[in-house]
Amino acid sequence: GKINGEEHCQQLAHLFRTTKTLEHIDLSMCEISMEHCRILADGLQENHTILGVHIAGNSAKMTPAGVMVPTQDVVDASTIYTQHKGDFEKIARSCGISKELLVAN
């Protein structure tokens, strides 16, 4: 984790509990530990307005139901793409996006 990681995660968890306007947040590649992801997950449990949380590159994953699950292993974007490749390619086709653009090299 980063310097003051717990304090920052506590502040974000408080934001998640209280915000009514935040819809998306990208926390990708922040090296958030499993312990600190638990803090974030607790804050998100009480939120019903955030539509998207990007958490790749940290010790957590998002379930299809939008629940953050802290994990021992860091989940990176290529792992997520591999697990859901068919879904991403179907979405890309429907939006007219080349599948090569879906994963940054």
Side-chain angles (χ1 to χ4, degrees):
K2 303 286 185 181
I3 296 172
N4 296 325
E6 183 172 355
E7 179 182 340
H8 293 146
C9 288
Q10 291 286 358
Q11 291 172 352
L12 282 170
H14 175 73
L15 173 69
F16 296 157
R17 286 185 194 97
T18 58
T19 187
K20 302 290 185 241
T21 56
L22 181 66
E23 293 181 358
H24 291 90
I25 186 163
D26 188 345
L27 299 171
S28 300
M29 312 313 271
C30 289
E31 300 175 18
I32 303 171
S33 70
M34 186 170 80
E35 176 185 328
H36 294 155
C37 284
R38 279 193 191 107
I39 294 168
L40 297 175
D42 288 345
L44 285 168
Q45 284 182 350
E46 300 176 34
N47 184 288
H48 302 287
T49 59
I50 296 177
L51 303 174
V53 177
H54 303 275
I55 197 75
N58 299 290
S59 295
K61 63 181 181 177
M62 298 301 291
T63 68
V67 176
M68 182 184 289
V69 178
T71 63
Q72 197 81 23
D73 302 317
V74 173
V75 180
D76 65 14
S78 63
T79 300
I80 294 168
Y81 176 76
T82 301
Q83 291 172 347
H84 301 282
K85 184 177 179 181
D87 295 333
F88 285 122
E89 289 175 355
K90 183 170 36 172
I91 292 167
R93 279 192 306 274
S94 69
C95 295
I97 300 171
S98 167
K99 68 180 179 183
E100 287 77 23
L101 297 177
L102 292 175
V103 177
N105 293 328

